[in-house]
Amino acid sequence: MSSDAPPEPFFSVLGAVQARRGDAPLPLGSPQQRALLAMLLLRRNDVVDLDEIVDGLWGEELPRTAVGTVRSHVYRLRRTLGPRITTHGQGYLLDSGPGALDLDVFEQLVADARACTAAGRTGEAAELLAGALRLWRGAPLAGLPGPHAAIHRERLSELRLSVLLERIELDLRLGRHARLVPELTRLCAEHPLHGRLRELAGIALARSGRTVRPAGNEHSGRPDRTPPAPPPGTPPRTHPTAQPGPPPAGEAAAPAAPERSVRADGVPARPRPAQLPFSPGDLIGRTEAVRDLLDALTKPRAGSVAVAAVTGTGGVGKSALAVHVAQRLRDRFPDGQLYASLRGTSADPADPDTVLAGFLQALGAEEEAIPDGREERAALFRTTVADRRILLVLDDARDTAQVEALLPGSPACAVLVTGRATLDGLPAVRRVRLEPLAVPGALALLGAVVGPERIAAEPERAAALAERCGGLPLALRLAGARLAARPAWSLSDFVRLLDGHHPAFPALPPFSVFPASAGSQDGITACVRPSYDLLDDEEARLFRLLALTRRGTTDVTGAAALGGLPPARAGQFLERMTGLGLLESPCPGVYRQYPLLRMFGAERSREDDRPDERAAAFTRFLGHLLAVARTVHAAERPGHHVSGLLPPDGRPGGPHSRRRLVDPGDDGALGVAARTLEAVPSAVAVAADLALAVEPLLEGSYLWAQSLDPVRRILRTAQDQGHLRAAGRAGYVLGSALAQLGRLDEADRILDAAEHAALAVRDDAVRTEILNRRAHVCQYRAHWRRADTLHREAVAVGEAYGSTWACRNARASSVSTLLRLSRRDEAAEISRTTLVSAVDAGDHHGEAYALYNLGLTARHLGRTDEAVARHRQSAALSARHGCPTVEAMNLVSETTAQLAGNRLPEAVECGERAVAATRRIGWHAAEVRALRLLGSALAAAGDRKRAGSRPAQAADALVLSCRPRRPLDPPLPALPPGGTP
């Protein structure tokens, strides 16, 4: 390396993530971008897979733009760090030399220290460990978001503490007792539950000549009272004078004080109840929740009782979390821990009067001294626990009223409440709403039960099992226990069993996948059934019907349609179910039903609802979806008056739920339509109208692949019934999807049949779109003259029908054809007139497309600056109105324009964004074009190394693109709306 080369950067993770080159700090961008860098650094020159990065940054809250965001972060990090970040398949690797990371330096110093210890050089070892610990600048990975950072923050903190203990033990060997006492006192306050620290503190105190008071006598100066609670935010006194460790060697240990002892005046001391149930040692996937609860219960607000509430659906692990946290806080509450199961989901919930009597007896009150009235018992309870540091765990509360009488009045106490209800009226310092475990946590829990080797042997089946269990810890443990007891079973067999019989919720199962725990009911049913039984008949009916659509979420109007109810009444029912933990409300007016609860509801519906009732619910809900989609279509296709798709008043309606109509993660409207036809085949006309209504969203977001299966089923039903109107509409949508995915022969056949059906029933509004789509197929095949003929025919049919949108769209689509036929002036004129028409009509998609066409035309005319400006204008408009397909088209075309103008840095930057945009929406054919353009730009800029990787990436994308290989280079083809390049 030349002496003039810049020094290698040095990275830090033992504190805030930083990078320096010499004395100069390097800009690392946003916290999320630094979190990605930390993932690469902690893997030490190893490849980190893209899926692992996405999971590590977002966990279960995965945005649709996750992959594109990761690639953008990598691009910006490369601009700072250079080519040391390289791409390997679908992952990334950061090349860092020895000693380039502070964690590596720390671990080397620790290894050297341990070698010195083994050689008997204790002083040198202690100095090396002290030097290693000086590398820490605070909490590791401080301020970084995401589950990966949280996990490694905890791991690294434990690593530091273990090395610190090694250094302290070496200092004790060297006789440095006196100077260790202040440090150990502080550490014991910071880590009150760490027994080894207390032990070392006791040794340091004893050997430095200080008095160590025996356990249990810390209140000797005040025989009837515990010390007052410390000020808010002050750690409880846990230093060694109160909780000493073992005495130094040679000294006799004092006998442990019993839980119920005798005071100096001979009067029996108050008992110290310890009622917490058994807690399993592991609590997987709840690190953040544990941290929040520990913080809330140890740092109360001034003058108030610390109250924390854990809520969530049945089986999500509320009780396990509460008991785990309470066990960790035993030393913080030395005067006792009280526990009561309030049985909030049972038909016979616990009476607060009875619970108070039990608490008072546990605290030493004689039965005859306990008053009869609730208010009197509550007053005596508050008096008894005044100035005493007691932790209460109130498990499975039904509502706030059940809890209020059990709350102490002393700020020295703390309360941890769990319940399925939201407990809105509870004066909680902290509320933790438990969600089901994300896939990594669910797999970890399964592995803890069945063994990690079985998970590793069938990772895909394990993930499927975690999905079937809905991420609920109870279901995961039951499934894991079933598998653990049957080591010969494969996970594949188990998942097939679940899928074949839906045995998670049998009423009287001949064979139950999950072990029985409540009579004939399996464990999950026993968990869910009590909440379900609290619903009245109408509420229970709506709960069952919600499960029929298999949608993850619904809103009030959708639920009202399913149940045939007024929206206000449906809203009341939904809130009631949410209060009982049967639904979740992620945002106002939206409700979510977890997978296992949907299975439970569907099983109950099969038992309790007649087939005609279920069919009527399906039909009502399909009509609701069509009403929402009609509003979308009217907004996306202004001036395109399609029979059956206009809102009732003929005008676009109010706000609409665009994403949930087609979101593949939410089992969108087309899936519901296809399942409705299984129960109600006569609803095919509505289903076909729905497919046509959501087609603009499929085109704008490039979600064609997800539409294939349900639209095929709709088309097949229409053909079976001879319903030509429905066949024409469903055939148009299916043919469009096939064309956009590059399956041109099949698309041509489907579109031809759809055109004949539309012509037979004079459905000209759809026929004009079919003609335009057939022109697109000809464009993809470079049949330019045939495409020109079809475009003109589409315009003529649209004019005869009276659809201004269809005419404008067909003319705009013809621009690329005209450019190929060297009719540039005609193309420019059409681009200008369609822009004016789109702006006048308020057609944002049409406006963006016209601007895109103006950019294409300007480039063909050699006006590069104008082309770039038009493409940027169109891309910005597309992004603003949620049309990522047109945005990606513009980025690809702008890259070509930048290359044509020999603006190589701009071409590289735009090409990177084009690749990211096409990958984000899964448009593989456009990705191929973007990669080839980027490779050309990099090669022209002299970056041969990076340019060389693009052909392989383009080949991979081409394999994914389901379309025949054809020339992609000269010159750039135009991109029709949603079309492939």
Side-chain angles (χ1 to χ4, degrees):
M1 181 180 293
S2 169
S3 60
D4 296 331
E8 294 292 312
F10 181 81
F11 299 97
S12 302
V13 294
L14 304 181
V17 172
Q18 297 176 351
R20 304 182 70 85
R21 183 171 276 120
D23 294 329
L26 298 177
L28 298 180
S30 66
Q32 190 177 74
Q33 189 167 300
R34 286 185 284 115
L36 191 155
L37 175 62
M39 295 177 72
L40 300 177
L41 288 168
L42 291 173
R43 286 292 282 270
R44 309 291 210 294
N45 297 306
D46 193 9
V47 176
V48 185
D49 188 72
L50 179 61
D51 290 340
E52 185 178 348
I53 293 174
V54 169
D55 289 339
L57 292 181
W58 286 282
E60 59 185 335
E61 298 295 334
L62 186 65
R64 289 182 56 190
T65 59
V67 173
T69 301
V70 169
R71 298 191 190 281
S72 298
H73 288 334
V74 172
Y75 172 76
R76 285 190 284 269
L77 286 171
R78 279 178 176 152
R79 295 178 67 178
T80 299
L81 302 175
R84 68 185 60 255
I85 298 181
T86 55
T87 303
H88 294 265
Q90 288 294 310
Y92 300 96
L93 178 146
L94 189 146
D95 182 12
S96 61
L101 178 65
D102 59 356
L103 180 57
D104 289 337
V105 177
F106 173 84
E107 291 178 341
Q108 185 59 52
L109 288 172
V110 172
D112 293 343
R114 288 169 180 167
C116 289
T117 301
R121 303 197 303 274
T122 305
E124 186 179 348
E127 292 306 315
L128 285 170
L129 291 180
L133 291 165
R134 283 195 291 272
L135 293 171
W136 292 72
R137 297 169 291 102
L141 310 178
L144 298 190
H148 177 275
I151 291 169
H152 285 274
R153 190 178 297 118
E154 186 170 344
R155 177 182 69 83
L156 292 172
S157 297
E158 291 294 332
L159 174 64
R160 179 185 180 277
L161 185 57
S162 67
V163 172
L164 181 60
L165 287 171
E166 286 187 55
R167 197 225 76 209
I168 290 171
E169 289 173 351
L170 292 177
D171 283 344
L172 283 173
R173 290 192 205 174
L174 294 168
R176 299 167 179 171
H177 312 118
R179 80 180 194 186
L180 285 173
V181 170
E183 180 182 15
L184 281 166
T185 301
R186 175 180 56 81
L187 288 171
C188 285
E190 292 175 357
H191 305 278
L193 308 181
H194 203 293
R196 182 57 178 159
L197 275 175
R198 293 200 302 272
E199 185 178 318
L200 293 173
I203 294 172
L205 280 166
R207 293 183 181 177
S208 61
R210 303 192 187 186
T211 302
V212 184
R213 289 181 291 177
N217 291 342
E218 63 269 34
H219 312 320
S220 57
R222 303 175 64 206
D224 292 322
R225 296 172 61 84
T226 59
T234 303
R237 293 177 62 227
T238 55
H239 57 71
T241 59
Q243 298 286 342
E251 298 183 23
E259 280 295 293
R260 186 181 180 95
S261 58
V262 177
R263 297 188 331 220
D265 57 5
V267 178
R270 292 176 178 175
R272 296 180 182 177
Q275 297 182 343
L276 296 177
F278 166 77
S279 171
D282 60 330
L283 193 72
I284 295 171
R286 303 302 190 195
T287 303
E288 185 176 350
V290 170
R291 183 171 58 248
D292 286 349
L293 292 173
L294 290 173
D295 180 70
L297 295 172
T298 55
K299 298 177 182 178
R301 294 190 294 251
S304 65
V305 180
V307 180
V310 182
T311 60
T313 192
V316 80
K318 302 179 295 297
S319 298
L321 172 64
V323 173
H324 175 86
V325 169
Q327 291 283 13
R328 288 184 58 173
L329 290 174
R330 285 174 62 95
D331 289 350
R332 290 274 189 160
F333 297 94
D335 294 314
Q337 306 88 40
L338 296 170
Y339 173 89
S341 173
L342 301 183
R343 305 192 306 276
T345 53
S346 73
D348 181 28
D351 183 357
D353 295 359
T354 305
V355 175
L356 283 170
F359 283 171
L360 288 168
Q361 289 180 340
L363 293 167
E366 299 297 336
E367 185 175 355
E368 58 272 13
I370 298 174
D372 292 332
R374 177 177 301 180
E375 292 185 8
E376 291 78 8
R377 288 186 180 185
L380 179 58
F381 172 67
R382 290 192 291 270
T383 300
T384 304
V385 300
D387 297 328
R388 301 179 72 180
R389 303 185 61 197
I390 289 178
L391 175 65
L392 283 80
V393 178
L394 305 175
D395 195 17
D396 192 20
R398 170 166 288 193
D399 51 33
T400 302
Q402 191 186 27
V403 173
E404 286 176 335
L406 308 176
L407 298 178
S410 168
C413 297
V415 183
L416 181 53
V417 186
T418 76
R420 298 187 191 184
T422 52
L423 302 174
D424 294 334
L426 191 68
V429 174
R430 189 73 53 87
R431 295 178 183 276
V432 173
R433 183 72 181 177
L434 278 194
E435 299 284 348
L437 293 172
V439 172
L443 292 179
L445 180 54
L446 268 177
V449 181
V450 305
E453 64 284 349
R454 293 177 76 177
I455 303 299
E458 299 180 86
E460 292 185 2
R461 293 293 86 192
L465 178 56
E467 180 187 355
R468 303 305 192 278
C469 292
L472 291 178
L474 174 61
L476 291 163
R477 289 187 184 279
L478 289 172
R482 184 77 170 174
L483 281 166
R486 292 158 178 78
W489 283 20
S490 71
L491 270 66
S492 298
D493 293 338
F494 193 75
V495 172
R496 277 196 297 271
L497 196 62
L498 283 169
D499 289 344
H501 300 284
H502 299 289
F505 303 111
L508 293 169
F511 173 78
S512 178
V513 171
F514 294 129
S517 64
S520 64
Q521 294 179 340
D522 64 87
I524 304 299
T525 301
C527 178
V528 176
R529 188 82 200 212
S531 293
Y532 174 75
D533 287 342
L534 293 175
L535 300 173
D536 65 28
D537 290 344
E538 281 192 283
E539 293 167 342
R541 172 179 170 274
L542 181 59
F543 175 80
R544 297 191 301 270
L545 295 179
L546 288 174
L548 296 182
T549 65
R550 303 185 203 170
R551 288 167 63 87
T553 58
T554 190
D555 55 17
V556 174
T557 55
L562 264 172
L565 299 166
R569 190 153 181 78
Q572 293 173 356
F573 291 172
L574 293 170
E575 282 297 310
R576 166 80 167 147
M577 295 177 211
T578 302
L580 291 172
L582 293 169
L583 295 178
E584 185 79 6
S585 181
C587 59
V590 176
Y591 299 86
R592 181 171 61 207
Q593 197 176 46
Y594 292 124
L596 286 177
L597 293 174
R598 289 204 301 275
M599 290 175 65
F600 176 85
E603 188 69 29
R604 301 287 78 73
S605 182
R606 281 190 287 271
E607 293 177 358
D608 300 338
D609 298 325
R610 298 193 313 273
D612 61 306
E613 292 176 325
R614 291 152 55 87
F618 266 125
T619 303
R620 288 192 301 266
F621 190 67
L622 191 64
H624 159 73
L625 290 177
L626 179 58
V628 176
R630 287 189 309 184
T631 303
V632 173
H633 191 275
E636 294 291 319
R637 303 280 194 258
H640 192 36
H641 309 296
V642 182
S643 172
L645 296 193
L646 284 180
D649 59 359
R651 299 188 306 275
H656 45 267
S657 190
R658 297 166 53 99
R659 178 175 176 178
R660 288 206 303 275
L661 285 171
V662 293
D663 185 357
D666 192 32
D667 199 359
L670 293 177
V672 174
R675 284 195 301 277
T676 298
L677 295 183
E678 296 173 7
V680 194
S682 60
V684 68
V686 179
D689 283 353
L690 179 60
L692 183 61
V694 301
E695 183 261 344
L697 300 184
L698 300 174
E699 183 156 41
S701 300
Y702 205 80
L703 291 171
W704 297 109
Q706 292 85 351
S707 72
L708 285 179
D709 180 62
V711 178
R712 278 190 196 280
R713 286 189 276 166
I714 295 171
L715 177 58
R716 191 179 304 120
T717 303
Q719 291 171 336
D720 290 345
Q721 296 183 16
H723 199 304
L724 292 179
R725 179 176 177 274
R729 295 186 170 201
Y732 161 68
V733 178
L734 178 59
S736 297
L738 292 167
Q740 303 290 37
L741 295 170
R743 295 158 65 170
L744 301 183
D745 291 341
E746 189 179 0
D748 217 4
R749 178 174 56 79
I750 296 292
L751 288 170
D752 182 65
E755 184 184 357
H756 281 86
L759 186 60
V761 295
R762 298 186 179 182
D763 195 357
D764 289 338
V766 174
R767 182 169 170 247
T768 183
E769 296 192 52
I770 295 172
L771 289 166
N772 198 47
R773 190 67 73 190
R774 295 192 69 184
H776 292 165
V777 174
C778 291
Q779 287 177 326
Y780 303 149
R781 287 173 163 160
H783 297 168
W784 305 110
R785 296 195 182 282
R786 175 60 178 158
D788 183 41
T789 300
L790 287 168
H791 281 311
R792 291 175 182 276
E793 191 174 351
V795 171
V797 173
E799 286 177 339
Y801 178 71
S803 172
T804 57
W805 179 88
C807 297
R808 179 170 61 248
N809 185 56
R811 290 191 177 102
S813 297
S814 72
V815 167
S816 57
T817 298
L818 296 173
L819 291 173
R820 288 294 189 159
L821 295 173
S822 298
R823 291 152 60 181
R824 297 185 177 87
D825 292 341
E826 188 178 348
E829 177 62 23
I830 286 177
S831 298
R832 287 191 291 270
T833 57
T834 54
L835 176 61
V836 172
S837 173
V839 171
D840 290 344
D843 180 1
H844 301 300
H845 178 278
E847 181 183 353
Y849 189 35
L851 289 168
Y852 166 80
N853 279 335
L854 284 170
L856 280 184
T857 305
R859 179 166 60 79
H860 276 263
L861 294 171
R863 300 198 292 266
T864 305
D865 290 345
E866 181 185 346
V868 169
R870 291 297 192 182
H871 285 312
R872 290 182 175 177
Q873 191 178 358
S874 177
L877 184 64
S878 302
R880 194 158 59 246
H881 292 283
C883 189
T885 303
V886 179
E887 183 182 3
M889 289 162 49
N890 279 285
L891 289 170
V892 173
S893 290
E894 183 192 336
T895 304
T896 305
Q898 299 285 15
L899 270 173
N902 201 33
R903 299 168 179 171
L904 301 182
E906 291 84 354
V908 170
E909 190 271 339
C910 190
E912 292 276 13
R913 290 192 292 127
V915 171
T918 53
R919 283 178 178 168
R920 192 158 51 239
I921 60 177
W923 190 2
H924 301 301
E927 181 188 348
V928 172
R929 182 62 175 142
L931 284 166
R932 292 175 66 96
L933 288 170
L934 177 58
S936 299
L938 289 167
D943 193 343
R944 298 286 178 180
K945 182 178 179 181
R946 290 176 63 197
S949 66
R950 305 304 165 183
Q953 294 178 32
D956 292 341
L958 193 61
V959 170
L960 295 171
S961 69
C962 299
R963 52 179 299 222
R965 187 180 295 271
R966 63 181 181 82
L968 290 167
D969 282 334
L972 178 68
L975 297 168
T980 46

